[in-house]
Amino acid sequence: MKISKKTIIITSILTLLPVVFGLVMWDKLPNPMPTHFGADGVADGWSDKSFAVFGLPLIMLGAHLLCIVASRADPKSGNYSEKLFALIVWLLPVLSILVNGAMY
């Protein structure tokens, strides 16, 4: 299980990419923004626009880095397959883009 610093930097930037989209679309975004949706797809949770654009991607970045650190600190991390570790590294950046994109 080896991950380069370059991969961590790239995935971290991808996790924060929705901030750029949010800043570009800032004037067109409603305040408050829907940030939680029920099973039927209807918004049932709202947050301030600044939290939706900045806070949620930062929380996703924190979770992303926590998953990487926890995976590497696991004493049995040598038993992880490369595919599983790649999933751990790339899952939250992809989710950040998809979820925040759907919100915007």
Side-chain angles (χ1 to χ4, degrees), residues 4-22:
S4 67
K5 288 182 183 181
K6 180 180 172 184
T7 302
I8 294 173
I9 291 170
I10 290 170
T11 56
S12 296
I13 289 171
L14 287 175
T15 305
L16 292 175
L17 191 60
V19 172
V20 175
F21 295 135

Side-chain angles (χ1 to χ4, degrees), residues 13 16 20 44 51 80 95:
I13 289 171
L16 292 175
V20 175
D44 60 3
F51 177 75
Y80 292 173
L95 281 176

Side-chain angles (χ1 to χ4, degrees), residues 1 5-7 11 18 21 25-27 33 36 38 49 57 60 64 66 74 80 87 89 94 98:
M1 178 184 73
K5 288 182 183 181
K6 180 180 172 184
T7 302
T11 56
F21 295 135
M25 298 175 56
W26 186 265
D27 292 333
M33 284 185 61
H36 188 270
K49 179 171 40 174
M60 294 286 271
H64 169 64
L66 180 66
D74 184 6
Y80 292 173
L87 178 68
V89 171
V94 170
L98 293 176

Side-chain angles (χ1 to χ4, degrees), residues 3 16 55-56 61 65 104:
I3 182 170
L16 292 175
L56 293 178
L61 177 65
L65 296 174
Y104 296 158

Side-chain angles (χ1 to χ4, degrees), residues 34-83:
T35 53
H36 188 270
F37 299 87
D40 56 356
V42 176
D44 60 3
W46 303 82
S47 294
D48 187 58
K49 179 171 40 174
S50 58
F51 177 75
V53 171
F54 299 108
L56 293 178
L58 287 172
I59 290 170
M60 294 286 271
L61 177 65
H64 169 64
L65 296 174
L66 180 66
C67 287
I68 291 173
V69 168
S71 301
R72 295 181 112 187
D74 184 6
K76 296 184 180 182
S77 64
N79 297 335
Y80 292 173
S81 71
E82 291 297 322
K83 289 181 183 180

